[in-house]
Amino acid sequence: MAKIQKVGVLGAGTMGNGIAQVFAQAGTPVSVVDTFPGALEKAKATIEKSVRKVAEKAGKSPDEEARAVLGRIAFGAETGAFEGCDLVVEAIVEDLPAKVAAFRAIDAVAPAGAILASNTSSISITRIAAATKRPASVVGMHFMNPVPVMKLVEIIRGQLTSDETAAAVVEASKAVGKIPVEASDFPGFVSNRVLMPMINEAIFCLHEGVAKAEAIDEVMKLGMNHPIGPLALADLIGNDVCLAILEVLQRDLGDDKYRPCPLLRRMVAAGLLGRKTGRGFFDYAKR
Ligand code: CAA
C-alpha cells in the first residue's frame, strides 16, 4: 500500500483533535469534520495550544509551528471533505448506532482504496466494519489521551480486516512517531479491559468510603508509580466515556465483574464528566 497522503478525521472532540494534530505535525494534510456547532472553533484553539507546547519543548518557534500545522488542517462540517483521503479516522461518541451511521456516511464518500479506521475504545471493529461495503479495509486505531504525548496506538483487526490494511495503519502510526501494538477484536481490547476495572474499583472505594478521592489517587501515584491517580484519569478520559466502556465490557463479555459503580452512573447523570465540564471527581474550575 502506498504512503498515506491525506487523512480525514471525523469528530473534533478531545481525541479527534489530537489525532488531526499528530498527522498534521508529521506533515500530512488533514480534513477534520464535525457537525456540532462550535466544535471546530474549539478544536482550532485546542490544537494551537498543544502545538505551541510541543514546539517550545522541541526548541522550535511556537508561532511558526502553529501556523504550519494549522495550515495543513482543513476544518468543515461535511463528510464530502473525505473524498480525497487515503485514511479516515472516526473519533465520535462511543455508541454503536452512531458509529454505524458514521461509517455508512464515510464509506459513501471515501475513495474505493481508502482505509477506514475507528478510534473506538471498546466497540467491536467487526460490527462497525459490517456497516460498510469494504470490511477488509476497516480497522481499529485506538489512540491514547492526550494524543500528542502518549506513544501507544492499539491496532485492532476486525474479523475481515486484511493484512494489507493492518500493515498500512502500523506504518502510518510509526510515521507519526507512535508505537503500534496489535490486539484482537475483543470488547475493550487490551487497554480498556485492564484499565477500566481499575478505575471502576477506585470509584467503588470512594463510593464505599474506603478513602477520600485525594487519598485513593495518592495511593496509586506514590505506591504504584502511576503518573496520575485513577480518579484523575477518569476525569481526563471523561466519566461518560468510562461509563460507556464499562457497559460494553459488562454486556459483551457477559460478566458482572465489569458492572459500573452506581456513583459513576450518578456523576454522569449529574453532568460531572471530568475536565471537559470543569468538574468530576475533582474540581478543575478552582485549579
Ligand atoms: N499537548 C502537548 N503536550 C502536552 C499535553 C498536550 N495536550 N498535555 C501534556 N503535555 C506535556 C506538557 O507540556 C509537559 O511537558 P514537559 O514535561 O516537557 O513540561 C508534559 O506533557 C507533562 O505534562 P504536565 O506537566 O502538564 O502534567 P503531568 O506531568 O501530569 O503529565 C500526562 C500529563 C502526560 C497526561 C500524565 O499525567 C499522564 O501520563 N497521565 C496518564 C495518561 C493516560 O493514562 N492516558 C491514557 C488514558 S486511556 C485512553 O486514552 C484510552 C481510552 O480508550 C479511554
Side-chain angles (χ1 to χ4, degrees), residues 109-171:
V109 291
I115 293 175
L116 311 188
S118 176
N119 180 56
T120 180
S121 323
S122 58
I123 295 174
S124 164
I125 298 301
T126 306
R127 288 172 79 178
I128 293 172
T132 72
K133 295 192 177 76
R134 58 178 104 190
S137 302
V138 177
V139 66
M141 274 184 101
H142 184 208
F143 291 81
M144 302 291 128
N145 182 10
V147 181
V149 180
M150 306 301 284
K151 284 281 177 204
L152 176 69
V153 182
E154 208 174 19
I155 305 288
I156 305 105
R157 289 179 191 227
Q159 190 65 27
L160 297 174
T161 305
S162 68
D163 290 347
E164 194 191 23
T165 299
V169 292
V170 162
E171 282 317 308

Coordinates of all heavy atoms in Angstrom, one line a residue, residues 109-171:
V109 N -18.4 8.2 0.7 CA -17.6 9.3 0.0 C -16.1 9.0 -0.1 O -15.5 9.6 -1.0 CB -17.8 10.7 0.8 CG1 -19.2 11.2 0.7 CG2 -17.4 10.6 2.3
A110 N -15.6 8.2 0.8 CA -14.1 8.0 0.7 C -13.8 7.2 -0.5 O -14.6 6.3 -1.0 CB -13.7 7.2 2.0
P111 N -12.6 7.4 -1.1 CA -12.2 6.7 -2.3 C -12.2 5.2 -2.1 O -12.0 4.7 -1.0 CB -10.7 7.1 -2.6 CG -10.6 8.4 -1.8 CD -11.6 8.4 -0.7
A112 N -12.4 4.4 -3.2 CA -12.5 2.9 -3.1 C -11.4 2.3 -2.3 O -11.6 1.4 -1.5 CB -12.6 2.4 -4.5
G113 N -10.1 2.8 -2.5 CA -9.0 2.1 -1.8 C -8.7 2.7 -0.4 O -7.7 2.2 0.2
A114 N -9.5 3.6 0.1 CA -9.2 4.2 1.3 C -9.4 3.3 2.5 O -10.3 2.4 2.5 CB -10.0 5.5 1.5
I115 N -8.6 3.5 3.6 CA -8.8 2.7 4.8 C -9.7 3.5 5.7 O -9.5 4.7 5.9 CB -7.4 2.5 5.5 CG1 -6.6 1.5 4.6 CG2 -7.5 1.9 6.9 CD1 -5.2 1.3 5.1
L116 N -10.6 2.8 6.4 CA -11.5 3.5 7.4 C -11.1 2.9 8.7 O -11.2 1.7 9.0 CB -13.0 3.2 7.0 CG -13.4 3.4 5.6 CD1 -14.9 3.3 5.5 CD2 -13.0 4.8 5.0
A117 N -10.7 3.8 9.6 CA -10.3 3.4 11.0 C -11.2 4.0 12.0 O -11.7 5.1 11.8 CB -8.8 3.8 11.2
S118 N -11.4 3.2 13.1 CA -12.2 3.7 14.2 C -11.2 3.9 15.4 O -10.4 3.0 15.7 CB -13.3 2.8 14.6 OG -14.0 3.3 15.7
N119 N -11.4 5.0 16.1 CA -10.7 5.2 17.4 C -11.5 4.7 18.5 O -11.2 5.0 19.7 CB -10.4 6.7 17.6 CG -9.6 7.0 18.8 OD1 -8.5 6.5 19.0 ND2 -10.2 7.8 19.7
T120 N -12.4 3.8 18.3 CA -13.3 3.3 19.4 C -12.4 2.7 20.5 O -11.4 2.1 20.3 CB -14.2 2.2 18.9 OG1 -15.0 1.8 20.0 CG2 -13.6 1.0 18.3
S121 N -12.9 2.9 21.8 CA -12.2 2.4 22.9 C -12.6 1.0 23.3 O -12.0 0.4 24.1 CB -12.5 3.3 24.1 OG -12.6 4.6 23.8
S122 N -13.7 0.5 22.7 CA -14.2 -0.8 23.2 C -15.1 -1.5 22.3 O -15.4 -2.7 22.4 CB -15.0 -0.6 24.6 OG -16.0 0.4 24.4
I123 N -15.7 -0.8 21.3 CA -16.7 -1.4 20.4 C -16.1 -2.3 19.4 O -15.0 -2.0 18.9 CB -17.6 -0.3 19.8 CG1 -18.4 0.5 20.9 CG2 -18.6 -0.8 18.8 CD1 -19.2 1.7 20.5
S124 N -16.8 -3.3 19.0 CA -16.3 -4.3 18.1 C -16.0 -3.7 16.7 O -16.9 -3.1 16.0 CB -17.3 -5.5 17.9 OG -17.1 -6.2 16.8
I125 N -14.8 -3.9 16.2 CA -14.4 -3.4 14.9 C -15.2 -4.2 13.8 O -15.6 -3.7 12.8 CB -12.9 -3.5 14.7 CG1 -12.1 -2.7 15.7 CG2 -12.5 -3.2 13.2 CD1 -12.4 -1.2 15.7
T126 N -15.4 -5.5 14.1 CA -16.1 -6.3 13.1 C -17.5 -5.8 12.9 O -18.0 -5.7 11.8 CB -16.2 -7.8 13.7 OG1 -14.8 -8.2 14.0 CG2 -16.8 -8.7 12.7
R127 N -18.2 -5.4 14.0 CA -19.6 -4.9 13.8 C -19.6 -3.5 13.1 O -20.5 -3.3 12.3 CB -20.2 -4.7 15.2 CG -20.5 -6.1 15.8 CD -21.0 -6.0 17.3 NE -22.4 -5.6 17.4 CZ -23.0 -5.5 18.5 NH1 -22.4 -5.8 19.7 NH2 -24.3 -5.1 18.6
I128 N -18.6 -2.7 13.4 CA -18.5 -1.4 12.7 C -18.2 -1.6 11.2 O -18.9 -1.1 10.3 CB -17.4 -0.5 13.3 CG1 -17.8 -0.1 14.7 CG2 -17.1 0.7 12.4 CD1 -16.6 0.6 15.5
A129 N -17.3 -2.6 10.9 CA -16.9 -2.9 9.5 C -18.1 -3.4 8.7 O -18.2 -3.1 7.5 CB -15.8 -3.9 9.5
A130 N -19.0 -4.1 9.4 CA -20.2 -4.7 8.7 C -21.1 -3.7 8.2 O -22.0 -3.9 7.3 CB -20.9 -5.7 9.7
A131 N -21.0 -2.4 8.7 CA -21.8 -1.3 8.2 C -21.3 -0.8 6.8 O -22.0 0.0 6.2 CB -21.9 -0.2 9.2
T132 N -20.2 -1.3 6.4 CA -19.6 -0.7 5.2 C -19.5 -1.8 4.1 O -19.8 -3.0 4.3 CB -18.1 -0.3 5.4 OG1 -17.3 -1.5 5.6 CG2 -18.0 0.6 6.6
K133 N -19.2 -1.3 2.9 CA -19.1 -2.3 1.7 C -17.6 -2.7 1.6 O -17.2 -3.3 0.6 CB -19.5 -1.6 0.4 CG -21.0 -1.3 0.5 CD -21.5 -0.9 -0.9 CE -23.0 -0.6 -1.0 NZ -23.4 0.7 -0.4
R134 N -16.7 -2.3 2.6 CA -15.3 -2.6 2.4 C -14.7 -3.1 3.8 O -13.8 -2.5 4.3 CB -14.5 -1.4 2.0 CG -14.7 -0.2 2.9 CD -13.9 1.0 2.4 NE -14.7 2.0 1.8 CZ -14.3 3.0 1.2 NH1 -13.0 3.2 1.1 NH2 -15.1 3.9 0.7
P135 N -15.3 -4.2 4.4 CA -14.9 -4.6 5.7 C -13.4 -5.0 5.8 O -12.8 -4.8 6.8 CB -15.7 -5.8 6.0 CG -16.4 -6.2 4.7 CD -16.4 -5.0 3.9
A136 N -12.8 -5.4 4.6 CA -11.4 -5.7 4.6 C -10.5 -4.5 4.9 O -9.3 -4.6 5.3 CB -11.0 -6.3 3.3
S137 N -11.1 -3.3 4.6 CA -10.3 -2.0 4.8 C -10.7 -1.3 6.0 O -10.4 -0.1 6.2 CB -10.5 -1.1 3.5 OG -10.2 -1.8 2.4
V138 N -11.4 -1.9 6.9 CA -11.8 -1.3 8.2 C -10.9 -1.9 9.3 O -10.7 -3.1 9.4 CB -13.3 -1.5 8.5 CG1 -13.7 -0.9 9.8 CG2 -14.1 -0.8 7.4
V139 N -10.5 -1.0 10.2 CA -9.5 -1.4 11.3 C -9.7 -0.5 12.5 O -10.2 0.6 12.4 CB -8.1 -1.3 10.7 CG1 -7.6 0.1 10.3 CG2 -7.0 -2.0 11.5
G140 N -9.2 -0.9 13.6 CA -9.2 -0.1 14.8 C -7.8 0.6 14.9 O -6.8 0.0 14.8
M141 N -7.9 1.9 15.2 CA -6.6 2.7 15.5 C -7.0 3.4 16.8 O -7.6 4.5 16.7 CB -6.3 3.7 14.4 CG -5.5 3.2 13.3 SD -5.1 4.6 12.1 CE -3.4 4.9 12.6
H142 N -6.6 2.8 17.9 CA -7.0 3.4 19.2 C -5.9 4.2 19.8 O -4.9 3.6 20.3 CB -7.4 2.2 20.1 CG -7.9 2.6 21.4 ND1 -7.9 1.8 22.6 CD2 -8.6 3.8 21.8 CE1 -8.4 2.5 23.6 NE2 -8.8 3.6 23.2
F143 N -6.0 5.5 19.7 CA -5.0 6.4 20.3 C -5.3 6.6 21.7 O -6.4 6.4 22.2 CB -5.1 7.7 19.5 CG -4.6 7.7 18.1 CD1 -5.4 7.2 17.1 CD2 -3.3 8.1 17.8 CE1 -5.0 7.2 15.7 CE2 -2.8 8.1 16.5 CZ -3.7 7.6 15.4
M144 N -4.3 7.1 22.5 CA -4.5 7.4 23.9 C -4.5 8.9 24.2 O -3.8 9.6 23.5 CB -3.4 6.7 24.7 CG -3.2 5.2 24.5 SD -4.6 4.3 25.2 CE -5.1 3.3 23.8
N145 N -5.2 9.3 25.2 CA -5.3 10.7 25.6 C -4.3 11.1 26.7 O -4.2 10.4 27.6 CB -6.8 10.8 26.2 CG -7.1 12.2 26.6 OD1 -6.4 13.2 26.3 ND2 -8.3 12.3 27.2
P146 N -3.5 12.2 26.5 CA -3.5 13.1 25.4 C -2.7 12.6 24.2 O -1.5 12.2 24.4 CB -2.9 14.4 26.0 CG -2.1 13.9 27.2 CD -2.7 12.6 27.7
V147 N -3.3 12.6 23.0 CA -2.7 12.0 21.8 C -1.4 12.6 21.5 O -0.5 11.8 21.2 CB -3.7 12.1 20.6 CG1 -3.1 11.5 19.4 CG2 -5.1 11.5 20.9
P148 N -1.1 13.9 21.6 CA 0.2 14.4 21.2 C 1.3 13.9 22.1 O 2.5 13.9 21.8 CB 0.1 15.9 21.4 CG -1.4 16.2 21.3 CD -2.0 15.0 22.0
V149 N 1.0 13.3 23.3 CA 2.0 12.9 24.3 C 2.2 11.4 24.4 O 3.3 10.9 24.5 CB 1.6 13.4 25.7 CG1 2.6 13.0 26.8 CG2 1.4 15.0 25.7
M150 N 1.0 10.7 24.3 CA 1.1 9.2 24.6 C 1.6 8.5 23.3 O 1.1 8.7 22.2 CB -0.3 8.7 25.0 CG -0.9 9.5 26.1 SD 0.0 9.4 27.6 CE -0.3 7.8 28.2
K151 N 2.5 7.5 23.6 CA 3.2 6.8 22.5 C 2.3 5.7 21.8 O 2.5 5.4 20.6 CB 4.4 6.1 23.0 CG 5.5 7.1 23.2 CD 6.2 7.5 21.9 CE 7.3 8.5 22.1 NZ 7.5 9.2 20.8
L152 N 1.4 5.1 22.6 CA 0.7 3.9 22.1 C -0.4 4.2 21.0 O -1.2 5.1 21.2 CB 0.1 3.2 23.2 CG -0.8 1.9 22.9 CD1 0.1 0.8 22.4 CD2 -1.6 1.5 24.1
V153 N -0.5 3.3 20.0 CA -1.7 3.2 19.2 C -2.0 1.7 19.2 O -1.2 0.9 18.8 CB -1.5 3.7 17.7 CG1 -2.9 3.5 17.0 CG2 -1.0 5.1 17.7
E154 N -3.2 1.4 19.8 CA -3.6 0.0 19.8 C -4.3 -0.3 18.4 O -5.2 0.4 18.0 CB -4.7 -0.2 20.9 CG -4.8 -1.6 21.5 CD -5.7 -1.6 22.7 OE1 -6.6 -0.7 22.9 OE2 -5.6 -2.5 23.5
I155 N -3.7 -1.3 17.7 CA -4.2 -1.6 16.4 C -5.1 -2.8 16.5 O -4.7 -3.9 17.0 CB -3.1 -1.9 15.4 CG1 -2.1 -0.7 15.3 CG2 -3.6 -2.3 14.0 CD1 -2.5 0.5 14.7
I156 N -6.4 -2.7 16.0 CA -7.3 -3.9 16.2 C -7.8 -4.3 14.8 O -8.4 -3.5 14.1 CB -8.5 -3.5 17.1 CG1 -8.0 -3.0 18.4 CG2 -9.4 -4.7 17.3 CD1 -8.1 -1.5 18.6
R157 N -7.6 -5.6 14.5 CA -8.2 -6.2 13.3 C -9.6 -6.7 13.6 O -9.8 -7.5 14.5 CB -7.3 -7.4 12.9 CG -6.0 -7.1 12.4 CD -5.3 -8.4 12.0 NE -3.9 -8.2 11.7 CZ -3.3 -8.7 10.7 NH1 -4.0 -9.4 9.8 NH2 -2.0 -8.5 10.5
G158 N -10.5 -6.3 12.7 CA -11.8 -7.0 12.7 C -11.7 -8.4 12.1 O -10.6 -8.7 11.6
Q159 N -12.8 -9.1 12.1 CA -12.8 -10.5 11.5 C -12.3 -10.5 10.1 O -11.6 -11.4 9.7 CB -14.2 -11.0 11.6 CG -14.3 -12.5 11.3 CD -13.6 -13.4 12.4 OE1 -13.4 -13.0 13.5 NE2 -13.2 -14.5 11.9
L160 N -12.7 -9.4 9.3 CA -12.4 -9.4 7.9 C -11.3 -8.5 7.5 O -11.0 -8.3 6.3 CB -13.6 -9.1 7.1 CG -14.8 -10.2 7.2 CD1 -16.0 -9.7 6.5 CD2 -14.3 -11.5 6.7
T161 N -10.6 -7.8 8.5 CA -9.6 -6.8 8.1 C -8.4 -7.5 7.4 O -7.9 -8.6 7.9 CB -9.0 -6.2 9.4 OG1 -10.1 -5.6 10.2 CG2 -8.0 -5.1 9.1
S162 N -8.0 -6.9 6.3 CA -6.9 -7.6 5.5 C -5.5 -7.3 6.2 O -5.4 -6.3 6.9 CB -6.9 -7.1 4.1 OG -6.5 -5.7 4.1
D163 N -4.6 -8.2 5.8 CA -3.2 -8.0 6.3 C -2.7 -6.7 5.8 O -1.9 -5.9 6.5 CB -2.3 -9.1 5.8 CG -2.6 -10.4 6.4 OD1 -3.3 -10.4 7.5 OD2 -2.1 -11.5 5.9
E164 N -3.0 -6.3 4.5 CA -2.6 -5.1 3.9 C -3.1 -3.9 4.7 O -2.3 -2.9 4.9 CB -3.1 -5.0 2.5 CG -2.4 -4.0 1.6 CD -3.2 -3.8 0.3 OE1 -4.4 -4.1 0.2 OE2 -2.5 -3.3 -0.6
T165 N -4.3 -3.9 5.1 CA -4.9 -2.8 5.9 C -4.2 -2.6 7.2 O -3.8 -1.5 7.6 CB -6.4 -3.0 6.1 OG1 -7.0 -3.0 4.9 CG2 -7.0 -1.9 7.0
A166 N -4.0 -3.8 7.9 CA -3.3 -3.7 9.2 C -1.9 -3.2 9.1 O -1.4 -2.4 9.9 CB -3.3 -5.1 9.9
A167 N -1.2 -3.7 8.0 CA 0.2 -3.3 7.8 C 0.2 -1.8 7.5 O 1.1 -1.0 8.0 CB 0.8 -4.0 6.7
A168 N -0.7 -1.3 6.8 CA -0.7 0.2 6.4 C -0.9 1.1 7.6 O -0.3 2.1 7.8 CB -1.8 0.5 5.4
V169 N -1.8 0.7 8.6 CA -2.0 1.5 9.7 C -0.9 1.4 10.8 O -0.6 2.3 11.5 CB -3.4 1.3 10.4 CG1 -4.5 1.9 9.5 CG2 -3.7 -0.1 10.9
V170 N -0.2 0.2 10.8 CA 1.0 0.1 11.6 C 2.0 1.1 11.1 O 2.6 1.8 11.9 CB 1.5 -1.4 11.5 CG1 3.0 -1.5 12.0 CG2 0.7 -2.3 12.4
E171 N 2.2 1.1 9.8 CA 3.2 2.1 9.2 C 2.8 3.5 9.4 O 3.6 4.4 9.8 CB 3.4 1.8 7.7 CG 4.2 0.6 7.3 CD 5.5 0.5 8.2 OE1 6.3 1.5 8.2 OE2 5.7 -0.5 8.8

